[in-house]
């Protein structure tokens, strides 16, 4: 085991990433420090998250439905209008050894394996226990609403809420529940090795949709970037 750890540290050192004693090496495929610094340089910042009110995710009678129906296929983003809801699209993209319900044209995912990007664990997905794997908005909907999405059109908010390419990840259900609508200043993935990946995803969403970072978020993301390869 020590030989394996030593080899990882040596590889990271050779790639220009200095790993301090007690520091966890980033997971393979993590974005570089230089890339995160580029994103940090262009991301807008606000002092703190405001609370303008009016956020209501529910779409029942009398509810605001401000991001449209959950996992709707009726949007203009990737996967939209393909006959399969967004949740199943995300599962189909991320799971390996994926099994589909017969007769659904490879739409309804009933089984597979997830390499969880938040805990670093390998999770067996079974639709009978669907809550074990949940779909997370990396940049939470409530936070996006508070930081500017309340001024967007409904169409843009629906694209954001169903964005397969940027803002959605299949993750461990308990980790997703713990995250809730928190941003990096208040929550980070429990697996330290996976934090460079999370920082890259969060910053990419923020810059793509021109959503600002709070001062606390920027501080947390800058701290993470210094640990990246």
């Amino acid at each position: 085991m020590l030989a394996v750890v030593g080899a990882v540290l040596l590889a990271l050192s050779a790639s220009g990433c200095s790993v301090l004693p007690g520091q966890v090496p980033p997971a393979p495929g993590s974005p570089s420090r230089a890339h995160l610094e580029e994103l940090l340089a262009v991301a807008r910042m606000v002092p703190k998250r405001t609370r303008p009110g009016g956020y209501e995710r529910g779409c029942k009678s009398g509810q605001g439905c401000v991001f449209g129906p959950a996992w709707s296929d009726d949007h203009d983003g990737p996967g939209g209008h393909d006959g399969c809801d967004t949740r199943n699209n995300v599962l189909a993209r991320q799971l390996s050894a994926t099994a589909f319900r017969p007769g659904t044209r490879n739409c309804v995912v009933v089984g597979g394996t997830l390499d969880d990007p938040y805990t670093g664990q390998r999770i067996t997905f079974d639709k009978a226990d669907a809550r074990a794997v949940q779909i997370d908005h990396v940049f939470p909907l409530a936070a996006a609403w508070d930081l500017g999405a309340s001024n967007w059109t409904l169409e843009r908010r629906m694209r954001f809420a169903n964005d397969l390419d940027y803002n959605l990840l299949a993750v461990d259900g308990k980790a997703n529940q713990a995250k809730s609508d928190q941003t990096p200043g208040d929550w980070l993935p429990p697996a330290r090795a996976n934090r460079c990946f999370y920082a890259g995803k969060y910053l990419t969403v923020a810059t793509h949709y021109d959503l600002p970072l709070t001062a606390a978020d920027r501080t947390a993301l800058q701290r993470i970037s210094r640990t990246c390869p």
Side-chain angles (χ1 to χ4, degrees), residues 162-227:
N162 294 279
D163 195 325
L164 300 177
D165 289 344
Y166 288 93
N167 198 31
L168 296 178
L169 285 176
V171 301
D172 172 72
K174 291 181 180 179
N176 186 46
Q177 293 297 310
K179 176 176 181 271
S180 187
D181 70 346
Q182 297 179 95
T183 56
D186 297 308
W187 183 91
L188 294 172
R192 296 178 66 86
N194 292 44
R195 291 180 180 179
C196 291
F197 170 79
Y198 168 71
K201 288 288 289 184
Y202 191 91
L203 282 166
T204 299
V205 179
T207 55
H208 182 73
Y209 282 94
D210 193 30
L211 287 166
L213 310 176
T214 67
D217 292 340
R218 179 178 288 276
T219 296
L221 293 167
Q222 286 175 327
R223 186 169 59 247
I224 292 170
S225 73
R226 292 192 288 269
T227 71

Short mmCIF file of all heavy atoms in Angstrom, two decimals, residues 162-227:
data_model
loop_
_atom_site.label_atom_id
_atom_site.label_comp_id
_atom_site.label_asym_id
_atom_site.label_seq_id
_atom_site.Cartn_x
_atom_site.Cartn_y
_atom_site.Cartn_z
N ASN A 162 -32.10 21.33 -16.11
CA ASN A 162 -32.01 20.04 -16.80
C ASN A 162 -30.73 19.90 -17.62
O ASN A 162 -30.66 19.08 -18.53
CB ASN A 162 -33.23 19.86 -17.71
CG ASN A 162 -34.53 19.75 -16.94
OD1 ASN A 162 -34.87 18.68 -16.43
ND2 ASN A 162 -35.25 20.85 -16.83
N ASP A 163 -29.71 20.68 -17.28
CA ASP A 163 -28.50 20.76 -18.10
C ASP A 163 -27.59 19.55 -17.87
O ASP A 163 -26.83 19.50 -16.90
CB ASP A 163 -27.75 22.06 -17.79
CG ASP A 163 -26.70 22.37 -18.84
OD1 ASP A 163 -26.09 21.42 -19.36
OD2 ASP A 163 -26.50 23.55 -19.14
N LEU A 164 -27.66 18.61 -18.78
CA LEU A 164 -26.85 17.38 -18.66
C LEU A 164 -25.36 17.67 -18.77
O LEU A 164 -24.55 16.99 -18.14
CB LEU A 164 -27.23 16.40 -19.77
CG LEU A 164 -28.66 15.89 -19.86
CD1 LEU A 164 -28.80 14.99 -21.08
CD2 LEU A 164 -29.05 15.14 -18.60
N ASP A 165 -25.00 18.63 -19.58
CA ASP A 165 -23.59 18.86 -19.86
C ASP A 165 -22.86 19.58 -18.73
O ASP A 165 -21.67 19.35 -18.51
CB ASP A 165 -23.42 19.67 -21.15
CG ASP A 165 -23.77 18.88 -22.40
OD1 ASP A 165 -23.84 17.63 -22.30
OD2 ASP A 165 -23.96 19.49 -23.45
N TYR A 166 -23.56 20.45 -18.02
CA TYR A 166 -22.87 21.30 -17.05
C TYR A 166 -23.26 21.04 -15.59
O TYR A 166 -22.40 20.94 -14.73
CB TYR A 166 -23.13 22.77 -17.38
CG TYR A 166 -22.41 23.26 -18.61
CD1 TYR A 166 -23.04 23.24 -19.85
CD2 TYR A 166 -21.10 23.72 -18.54
CE1 TYR A 166 -22.38 23.67 -20.99
CE2 TYR A 166 -20.43 24.16 -19.67
CZ TYR A 166 -21.08 24.13 -20.90
OH TYR A 166 -20.42 24.56 -22.02
N ASN A 167 -24.55 20.97 -15.31
CA ASN A 167 -24.95 21.14 -13.91
C ASN A 167 -25.51 19.91 -13.21
O ASN A 167 -25.89 20.00 -12.05
CB ASN A 167 -26.00 22.27 -13.83
CG ASN A 167 -26.15 22.82 -12.42
OD1 ASN A 167 -25.20 22.83 -11.65
ND2 ASN A 167 -27.34 23.28 -12.10
N LEU A 168 -25.56 18.76 -13.85
CA LEU A 168 -26.19 17.60 -13.23
C LEU A 168 -25.20 16.46 -13.04
O LEU A 168 -24.42 16.15 -13.94
CB LEU A 168 -27.37 17.11 -14.07
CG LEU A 168 -28.54 18.09 -14.20
CD1 LEU A 168 -29.62 17.51 -15.09
CD2 LEU A 168 -29.11 18.47 -12.85
N LEU A 169 -25.27 15.84 -11.86
CA LEU A 169 -24.44 14.68 -11.54
C LEU A 169 -25.26 13.66 -10.78
O LEU A 169 -26.02 14.01 -9.87
CB LEU A 169 -23.25 15.08 -10.66
CG LEU A 169 -22.07 15.80 -11.29
CD1 LEU A 169 -21.06 16.16 -10.20
CD2 LEU A 169 -21.40 14.95 -12.36
N ALA A 170 -25.10 12.39 -11.13
CA ALA A 170 -25.63 11.31 -10.29
C ALA A 170 -24.65 11.11 -9.14
O ALA A 170 -23.44 10.97 -9.36
CB ALA A 170 -25.76 10.03 -11.11
N VAL A 171 -25.18 11.13 -7.92
CA VAL A 171 -24.31 11.08 -6.74
C VAL A 171 -24.95 10.22 -5.65
O VAL A 171 -26.13 9.88 -5.71
CB VAL A 171 -24.04 12.50 -6.17
CG1 VAL A 171 -23.38 13.39 -7.22
CG2 VAL A 171 -25.33 13.15 -5.67
N ASP A 172 -24.15 9.92 -4.64
CA ASP A 172 -24.64 9.22 -3.46
C ASP A 172 -25.79 10.00 -2.82
O ASP A 172 -25.67 11.21 -2.58
CB ASP A 172 -23.49 9.06 -2.46
CG ASP A 172 -23.95 8.52 -1.13
OD1 ASP A 172 -24.29 7.34 -1.05
OD2 ASP A 172 -24.00 9.31 -0.15
N GLY A 173 -26.89 9.33 -2.54
CA GLY A 173 -28.07 10.00 -2.02
C GLY A 173 -27.84 10.72 -0.71
O GLY A 173 -28.30 11.85 -0.52
N LYS A 174 -27.12 10.09 0.22
CA LYS A 174 -26.89 10.73 1.52
C LYS A 174 -26.03 11.97 1.38
O LYS A 174 -26.26 12.99 2.05
CB LYS A 174 -26.25 9.72 2.47
CG LYS A 174 -27.19 8.60 2.90
CD LYS A 174 -26.52 7.64 3.86
CE LYS A 174 -27.47 6.52 4.28
NZ LYS A 174 -26.82 5.55 5.21
N ALA A 175 -25.03 11.92 0.50
CA ALA A 175 -24.19 13.10 0.27
C ALA A 175 -25.00 14.23 -0.33
O ALA A 175 -24.83 15.40 0.03
CB ALA A 175 -23.02 12.74 -0.64
N ASN A 176 -25.91 13.88 -1.24
CA ASN A 176 -26.75 14.89 -1.85
C ASN A 176 -27.67 15.54 -0.83
O ASN A 176 -27.87 16.76 -0.85
CB ASN A 176 -27.58 14.26 -2.98
CG ASN A 176 -28.37 15.29 -3.76
OD1 ASN A 176 -27.85 16.33 -4.14
ND2 ASN A 176 -29.65 15.00 -4.00
N GLN A 177 -28.23 14.74 0.06
CA GLN A 177 -29.10 15.29 1.10
C GLN A 177 -28.31 16.21 2.04
O GLN A 177 -28.81 17.25 2.48
CB GLN A 177 -29.75 14.16 1.89
CG GLN A 177 -30.73 13.32 1.09
CD GLN A 177 -31.93 14.13 0.62
OE1 GLN A 177 -32.56 14.84 1.39
NE2 GLN A 177 -32.23 14.03 -0.67
N ALA A 178 -27.08 15.83 2.35
CA ALA A 178 -26.25 16.66 3.23
C ALA A 178 -25.90 17.99 2.54
O ALA A 178 -25.83 19.03 3.19
CB ALA A 178 -24.98 15.91 3.61
N LYS A 179 -25.68 17.94 1.24
CA LYS A 179 -25.34 19.16 0.49
C LYS A 179 -26.51 20.12 0.44
O LYS A 179 -26.34 21.33 0.61
CB LYS A 179 -24.91 18.78 -0.92
CG LYS A 179 -24.61 19.95 -1.85
CD LYS A 179 -24.10 19.42 -3.18
CE LYS A 179 -23.77 20.55 -4.15
NZ LYS A 179 -24.91 20.97 -4.95
N SER A 180 -27.70 19.61 0.17
CA SER A 180 -28.91 20.43 0.07
C SER A 180 -28.69 21.57 -0.92
O SER A 180 -28.23 21.33 -2.04
CB SER A 180 -29.30 20.94 1.46
OG SER A 180 -30.55 21.59 1.41
N ASP A 181 -28.95 22.82 -0.52
CA ASP A 181 -28.75 23.95 -1.44
C ASP A 181 -27.51 24.76 -1.08
O ASP A 181 -27.41 25.93 -1.41
CB ASP A 181 -29.99 24.84 -1.49
CG ASP A 181 -30.21 25.62 -0.19
OD1 ASP A 181 -29.58 25.28 0.83
OD2 ASP A 181 -31.00 26.58 -0.20
N GLN A 182 -26.55 24.10 -0.42
CA GLN A 182 -25.34 24.79 -0.01
C GLN A 182 -24.34 24.93 -1.16
O GLN A 182 -24.29 24.11 -2.07
CB GLN A 182 -24.68 24.05 1.15
CG GLN A 182 -25.54 23.99 2.41
CD GLN A 182 -24.87 23.22 3.51
OE1 GLN A 182 -24.23 23.78 4.38
NE2 GLN A 182 -25.00 21.90 3.48
N THR A 183 -23.53 25.96 -1.09
CA THR A 183 -22.50 26.24 -2.08
C THR A 183 -21.12 25.99 -1.45
O THR A 183 -21.04 25.67 -0.26
CB THR A 183 -22.66 27.69 -2.59
OG1 THR A 183 -22.62 28.59 -1.47
CG2 THR A 183 -23.98 27.87 -3.33
N PRO A 184 -20.03 26.09 -2.22
CA PRO A 184 -18.73 25.64 -1.70
C PRO A 184 -18.25 26.27 -0.40
O PRO A 184 -17.47 25.66 0.33
CB PRO A 184 -17.77 25.98 -2.85
CG PRO A 184 -18.61 25.90 -4.07
CD PRO A 184 -19.95 26.43 -3.65
N GLY A 185 -18.72 27.48 -0.11
CA GLY A 185 -18.32 28.10 1.15
C GLY A 185 -18.85 27.38 2.37
O GLY A 185 -18.33 27.54 3.48
N ASP A 186 -19.90 26.55 2.17
CA ASP A 186 -20.54 25.85 3.29
C ASP A 186 -20.48 24.33 3.17
O ASP A 186 -20.70 23.63 4.15
CB ASP A 186 -22.02 26.26 3.39
CG ASP A 186 -22.18 27.72 3.71
OD1 ASP A 186 -21.58 28.19 4.69
OD2 ASP A 186 -22.90 28.41 2.97
N TRP A 187 -20.21 23.81 1.97
CA TRP A 187 -20.20 22.35 1.78
C TRP A 187 -19.19 21.97 0.72
O TRP A 187 -19.05 22.64 -0.32
CB TRP A 187 -21.58 21.86 1.33
CG TRP A 187 -21.66 20.37 1.18
CD1 TRP A 187 -22.05 19.47 2.14
CD2 TRP A 187 -21.33 19.59 0.01
NE1 TRP A 187 -21.97 18.19 1.64
CE2 TRP A 187 -21.54 18.23 0.34
CE3 TRP A 187 -20.89 19.92 -1.26
CZ2 TRP A 187 -21.32 17.20 -0.58
CZ3 TRP A 187 -20.66 18.90 -2.18
CH2 TRP A 187 -20.88 17.55 -1.83
N LEU A 188 -18.48 20.87 0.99
CA LEU A 188 -17.56 20.29 0.02
C LEU A 188 -17.74 18.78 0.03
O LEU A 188 -18.16 18.21 1.05
CB LEU A 188 -16.11 20.65 0.36
CG LEU A 188 -15.72 22.11 0.24
CD1 LEU A 188 -14.32 22.33 0.80
CD2 LEU A 188 -15.82 22.60 -1.20
N PRO A 189 -17.43 18.10 -1.07
CA PRO A 189 -17.56 16.64 -1.08
C PRO A 189 -16.77 16.00 0.05
O PRO A 189 -15.65 16.44 0.37
CB PRO A 189 -16.96 16.25 -2.44
CG PRO A 189 -17.17 17.45 -3.29
CD PRO A 189 -16.98 18.62 -2.37
N PRO A 190 -17.34 14.98 0.70
CA PRO A 190 -16.62 14.34 1.81
C PRO A 190 -15.31 13.70 1.39
O PRO A 190 -14.38 13.62 2.20
CB PRO A 190 -17.62 13.30 2.33
CG PRO A 190 -18.64 13.14 1.25
CD PRO A 190 -18.69 14.43 0.52
N ALA A 191 -15.20 13.25 0.14
CA ALA A 191 -13.93 12.67 -0.34
C ALA A 191 -13.02 13.81 -0.78
O ALA A 191 -13.26 14.46 -1.80
CB ALA A 191 -14.19 11.71 -1.50
N ARG A 192 -11.97 14.06 -0.03
CA ARG A 192 -11.08 15.18 -0.33
C ARG A 192 -10.45 15.05 -1.72
O ARG A 192 -10.21 16.04 -2.40
CB ARG A 192 -9.99 15.28 0.74
CG ARG A 192 -10.53 15.60 2.13
CD ARG A 192 -9.42 15.65 3.16
NE ARG A 192 -8.51 16.75 2.92
CZ ARG A 192 -8.70 17.99 3.38
NH1 ARG A 192 -9.79 18.27 4.08
NH2 ARG A 192 -7.83 18.95 3.11
N ALA A 193 -10.20 13.80 -2.15
CA ALA A 193 -9.59 13.59 -3.46
C ALA A 193 -10.48 14.05 -4.60
O ALA A 193 -10.00 14.29 -5.71
CB ALA A 193 -9.25 12.11 -3.63
N ASN A 194 -11.77 14.19 -4.34
CA ASN A 194 -12.73 14.54 -5.40
C ASN A 194 -13.07 16.03 -5.42
O ASN A 194 -13.90 16.47 -6.21
CB ASN A 194 -14.01 13.72 -5.24
CG ASN A 194 -13.80 12.26 -5.50
OD1 ASN A 194 -12.83 11.66 -5.05
ND2 ASN A 194 -14.71 11.64 -6.24
N ARG A 195 -12.42 16.81 -4.58
CA ARG A 195 -12.80 18.22 -4.48
C ARG A 195 -12.32 19.06 -5.65
O ARG A 195 -12.96 20.05 -6.01
CB ARG A 195 -12.31 18.79 -3.14
CG ARG A 195 -13.08 18.21 -1.97
CD ARG A 195 -12.63 18.73 -0.62
NE ARG A 195 -13.42 18.13 0.46
CZ ARG A 195 -13.26 18.38 1.74
NH1 ARG A 195 -12.30 19.23 2.13
NH2 ARG A 195 -14.02 17.79 2.64
N CYS A 196 -11.21 18.69 -6.27
CA CYS A 196 -10.78 19.43 -7.47
C CYS A 196 -11.81 19.27 -8.58
O CYS A 196 -12.15 20.23 -9.29
CB CYS A 196 -9.41 18.93 -7.93
SG CYS A 196 -8.04 19.35 -6.82
N PHE A 197 -12.33 18.04 -8.74
CA PHE A 197 -13.37 17.79 -9.74
C PHE A 197 -14.60 18.64 -9.45
O PHE A 197 -15.14 19.29 -10.35
CB PHE A 197 -13.73 16.31 -9.74
CG PHE A 197 -14.95 15.98 -10.55
CD1 PHE A 197 -14.88 15.88 -11.93
CD2 PHE A 197 -16.18 15.79 -9.93
CE1 PHE A 197 -16.01 15.59 -12.68
CE2 PHE A 197 -17.32 15.50 -10.67
CZ PHE A 197 -17.24 15.40 -12.06
N TYR A 198 -15.04 18.65 -8.19
CA TYR A 198 -16.23 19.43 -7.81
C TYR A 198 -15.99 20.91 -8.05
O TYR A 198 -16.87 21.61 -8.59
CB TYR A 198 -16.55 19.17 -6.34
CG TYR A 198 -17.56 20.12 -5.75
CD1 TYR A 198 -18.90 20.07 -6.11
CD2 TYR A 198 -17.17 21.08 -4.82
CE1 TYR A 198 -19.83 20.95 -5.57
CE2 TYR A 198 -18.08 21.96 -4.26
CZ TYR A 198 -19.40 21.89 -4.64
OH TYR A 198 -20.31 22.77 -4.11
N ALA A 199 -14.82 21.41 -7.69
CA ALA A 199 -14.52 22.82 -7.89
C ALA A 199 -14.58 23.18 -9.37
O ALA A 199 -15.12 24.23 -9.76
CB ALA A 199 -13.14 23.15 -7.33
N GLY A 200 -14.03 22.29 -10.21
CA GLY A 200 -14.08 22.54 -11.64
C GLY A 200 -15.50 22.57 -12.18
O GLY A 200 -15.86 23.43 -13.00
N LYS A 201 -16.34 21.63 -11.72
CA LYS A 201 -17.73 21.60 -12.16
C LYS A 201 -18.47 22.86 -11.72
O LYS A 201 -19.19 23.48 -12.51
CB LYS A 201 -18.43 20.36 -11.60
CG LYS A 201 -18.03 19.05 -12.22
CD LYS A 201 -18.58 18.89 -13.63
CE LYS A 201 -20.08 18.67 -13.64
NZ LYS A 201 -20.59 18.42 -15.02
N TYR A 202 -18.30 23.24 -10.46
CA TYR A 202 -19.02 24.40 -9.93
C TYR A 202 -18.63 25.67 -10.68
O TYR A 202 -19.48 26.47 -11.08
CB TYR A 202 -18.75 24.55 -8.43
CG TYR A 202 -19.66 25.54 -7.76
CD1 TYR A 202 -20.86 25.13 -7.20
CD2 TYR A 202 -19.34 26.90 -7.71
CE1 TYR A 202 -21.72 26.04 -6.60
CE2 TYR A 202 -20.19 27.82 -7.12
CZ TYR A 202 -21.37 27.38 -6.57
OH TYR A 202 -22.24 28.29 -5.98
N LEU A 203 -17.33 25.84 -10.87
CA LEU A 203 -16.86 27.04 -11.55
C LEU A 203 -17.28 27.07 -13.01
O LEU A 203 -17.58 28.14 -13.56
CB LEU A 203 -15.34 27.13 -11.44
CG LEU A 203 -14.81 27.62 -10.10
CD1 LEU A 203 -13.32 27.34 -9.98
CD2 LEU A 203 -15.09 29.13 -9.95
N THR A 204 -17.33 25.91 -13.65
CA THR A 204 -17.75 25.85 -15.04
C THR A 204 -19.21 26.26 -15.18
O THR A 204 -19.58 27.01 -16.09
CB THR A 204 -17.53 24.44 -15.62
OG1 THR A 204 -16.13 24.13 -15.56
CG2 THR A 204 -18.00 24.36 -17.07
N VAL A 205 -20.06 25.77 -14.26
CA VAL A 205 -21.47 26.17 -14.29
C VAL A 205 -21.59 27.67 -14.05
O VAL A 205 -22.32 28.38 -14.77
CB VAL A 205 -22.29 25.41 -13.23
CG1 VAL A 205 -23.75 25.87 -13.25
CG2 VAL A 205 -22.21 23.92 -13.44
N ALA A 206 -20.87 28.17 -13.04
CA ALA A 206 -20.97 29.58 -12.68
C ALA A 206 -20.58 30.48 -13.85
O ALA A 206 -21.27 31.47 -14.16
CB ALA A 206 -20.09 29.88 -11.47
N THR A 207 -19.49 30.15 -14.53
CA THR A 207 -19.04 31.00 -15.63
C THR A 207 -19.92 30.84 -16.86
O THR A 207 -20.18 31.80 -17.57
CB THR A 207 -17.57 30.72 -15.97
OG1 THR A 207 -17.38 29.32 -16.24
CG2 THR A 207 -16.66 31.11 -14.80
N HIS A 208 -20.38 29.62 -17.12
CA HIS A 208 -21.22 29.39 -18.29
C HIS A 208 -22.53 30.14 -18.18
O HIS A 208 -23.04 30.68 -19.20
CB HIS A 208 -21.49 27.89 -18.45
CG HIS A 208 -22.31 27.55 -19.66
ND1 HIS A 208 -21.80 27.60 -20.94
CD2 HIS A 208 -23.60 27.16 -19.79
CE1 HIS A 208 -22.73 27.25 -21.80
NE2 HIS A 208 -23.85 26.98 -21.14
N TYR A 209 -23.10 30.21 -16.99
CA TYR A 209 -24.39 30.88 -16.79
C TYR A 209 -24.25 32.27 -16.18
O TYR A 209 -25.26 32.90 -15.84
CB TYR A 209 -25.30 30.01 -15.90
CG TYR A 209 -25.93 28.86 -16.65
CD1 TYR A 209 -25.33 27.60 -16.65
CD2 TYR A 209 -27.11 29.03 -17.36
CE1 TYR A 209 -25.90 26.54 -17.34
CE2 TYR A 209 -27.69 27.97 -18.04
CZ TYR A 209 -27.08 26.73 -18.03
OH TYR A 209 -27.66 25.68 -18.72
N ASP A 210 -23.01 32.73 -16.04
CA ASP A 210 -22.75 34.06 -15.46
C ASP A 210 -23.40 34.22 -14.09
O ASP A 210 -24.01 35.26 -13.79
CB ASP A 210 -23.21 35.17 -16.42
CG ASP A 210 -22.68 36.54 -16.00
OD1 ASP A 210 -21.58 36.60 -15.41
OD2 ASP A 210 -23.37 37.56 -16.25
N LEU A 211 -23.27 33.19 -13.27
CA LEU A 211 -23.74 33.26 -11.89
C LEU A 211 -22.54 33.60 -11.01
O LEU A 211 -21.45 33.04 -11.18
CB LEU A 211 -24.34 31.92 -11.45
CG LEU A 211 -25.70 31.59 -12.05
CD1 LEU A 211 -26.04 30.11 -11.83
CD2 LEU A 211 -26.79 32.48 -11.43
N PRO A 212 -22.70 34.50 -10.04
CA PRO A 212 -21.55 34.92 -9.25
C PRO A 212 -21.19 33.94 -8.14
O PRO A 212 -22.02 33.14 -7.70
CB PRO A 212 -22.02 36.25 -8.65
CG PRO A 212 -23.50 36.07 -8.50
CD PRO A 212 -23.92 35.25 -9.71
N LEU A 213 -19.95 34.04 -7.70
CA LEU A 213 -19.51 33.35 -6.49
C LEU A 213 -19.66 34.31 -5.32
O LEU A 213 -19.45 35.51 -5.46
CB LEU A 213 -18.02 32.98 -6.60
CG LEU A 213 -17.55 32.24 -7.85
CD1 LEU A 213 -16.03 32.06 -7.78
CD2 LEU A 213 -18.26 30.92 -8.00
N THR A 214 -20.03 33.78 -4.17
CA THR A 214 -19.94 34.61 -2.97
C THR A 214 -18.47 34.68 -2.54
O THR A 214 -17.64 33.87 -2.98
CB THR A 214 -20.77 34.03 -1.82
OG1 THR A 214 -20.18 32.78 -1.39
CG2 THR A 214 -22.22 33.80 -2.23
N ALA A 215 -18.15 35.64 -1.69
CA ALA A 215 -16.77 35.75 -1.21
C ALA A 215 -16.33 34.47 -0.52
O ALA A 215 -15.19 34.02 -0.68
CB ALA A 215 -16.66 36.95 -0.26
N ALA A 216 -17.24 33.86 0.25
CA ALA A 216 -16.91 32.61 0.94
C ALA A 216 -16.68 31.48 -0.05
O ALA A 216 -15.78 30.65 0.13
CB ALA A 216 -18.02 32.24 1.92
N ASP A 217 -17.47 31.43 -1.11
CA ASP A 217 -17.29 30.41 -2.14
C ASP A 217 -15.93 30.57 -2.82
O ASP A 217 -15.21 29.59 -3.05
CB ASP A 217 -18.39 30.50 -3.21
CG ASP A 217 -19.76 30.12 -2.69
OD1 ASP A 217 -19.83 29.43 -1.65
OD2 ASP A 217 -20.76 30.52 -3.31
N ARG A 218 -15.58 31.80 -3.18
CA ARG A 218 -14.30 32.04 -3.85
C ARG A 218 -13.14 31.60 -2.96
O ARG A 218 -12.20 30.95 -3.43
CB ARG A 218 -14.15 33.51 -4.22
CG ARG A 218 -12.81 33.82 -4.90
CD ARG A 218 -12.71 35.27 -5.29
NE ARG A 218 -13.57 35.59 -6.42
CZ ARG A 218 -13.23 35.40 -7.68
NH1 ARG A 218 -12.06 34.87 -7.99
NH2 ARG A 218 -14.06 35.73 -8.65
N THR A 219 -13.21 31.93 -1.69
CA THR A 219 -12.15 31.54 -0.77
C THR A 219 -12.01 30.02 -0.72
O THR A 219 -10.89 29.48 -0.78
CB THR A 219 -12.43 32.08 0.64
OG1 THR A 219 -12.43 33.52 0.59
CG2 THR A 219 -11.39 31.61 1.64
N ALA A 220 -13.13 29.32 -0.63
CA ALA A 220 -13.10 27.85 -0.57
C ALA A 220 -12.54 27.26 -1.85
O ALA A 220 -11.73 26.32 -1.83
CB ALA A 220 -14.50 27.31 -0.30
N LEU A 221 -12.95 27.80 -2.99
CA LEU A 221 -12.50 27.27 -4.28
C LEU A 221 -11.03 27.59 -4.54
O LEU A 221 -10.30 26.78 -5.13
CB LEU A 221 -13.39 27.82 -5.40
CG LEU A 221 -14.84 27.32 -5.36
CD1 LEU A 221 -15.72 28.13 -6.29
CD2 LEU A 221 -14.92 25.83 -5.69
N GLN A 222 -10.57 28.74 -4.10
CA GLN A 222 -9.15 29.07 -4.23
C GLN A 222 -8.31 28.12 -3.39
O GLN A 222 -7.24 27.68 -3.83
CB GLN A 222 -8.90 30.52 -3.80
CG GLN A 222 -9.38 31.55 -4.80
CD GLN A 222 -9.23 32.97 -4.30
OE1 GLN A 222 -9.36 33.23 -3.09
NE2 GLN A 222 -8.98 33.90 -5.21
N ARG A 223 -8.79 27.80 -2.21
CA ARG A 223 -8.07 26.86 -1.33
C ARG A 223 -7.99 25.49 -1.98
O ARG A 223 -6.92 24.85 -1.95
CB ARG A 223 -8.77 26.79 0.03
CG ARG A 223 -8.02 25.96 1.06
CD ARG A 223 -8.61 26.15 2.44
NE ARG A 223 -10.02 25.78 2.49
CZ ARG A 223 -11.02 26.65 2.69
NH1 ARG A 223 -10.77 27.93 2.84
NH2 ARG A 223 -12.27 26.22 2.74
N ILE A 224 -9.08 25.05 -2.59
CA ILE A 224 -9.07 23.76 -3.28
C ILE A 224 -8.09 23.79 -4.46
O ILE A 224 -7.34 22.84 -4.68
CB ILE A 224 -10.47 23.39 -3.77
CG1 ILE A 224 -11.40 23.10 -2.58
CG2 ILE A 224 -10.44 22.16 -4.69
CD1 ILE A 224 -12.85 22.97 -2.95
N SER A 225 -8.12 24.87 -5.22
CA SER A 225 -7.30 24.93 -6.43
C SER A 225 -5.82 24.72 -6.13
O SER A 225 -5.09 24.15 -6.95
CB SER A 225 -7.50 26.27 -7.15
OG SER A 225 -6.87 27.33 -6.45
N ARG A 226 -5.39 25.14 -4.96
CA ARG A 226 -3.96 24.99 -4.60
C ARG A 226 -3.56 23.54 -4.35
O ARG A 226 -2.38 23.24 -4.26
CB ARG A 226 -3.65 25.86 -3.37
CG ARG A 226 -3.72 27.35 -3.66
CD ARG A 226 -3.13 28.18 -2.54
NE ARG A 226 -3.95 28.18 -1.36
CZ ARG A 226 -4.89 29.08 -1.09
NH1 ARG A 226 -5.14 30.05 -1.97
NH2 ARG A 226 -5.60 29.05 0.02
N THR A 227 -4.55 22.65 -4.26
CA THR A 227 -4.26 21.22 -4.05
C THR A 227 -4.35 20.43 -5.35
O THR A 227 -4.11 19.23 -5.35
CB THR A 227 -5.24 20.59 -3.04
OG1 THR A 227 -6.55 20.48 -3.63
CG2 THR A 227 -5.33 21.44 -1.77
#
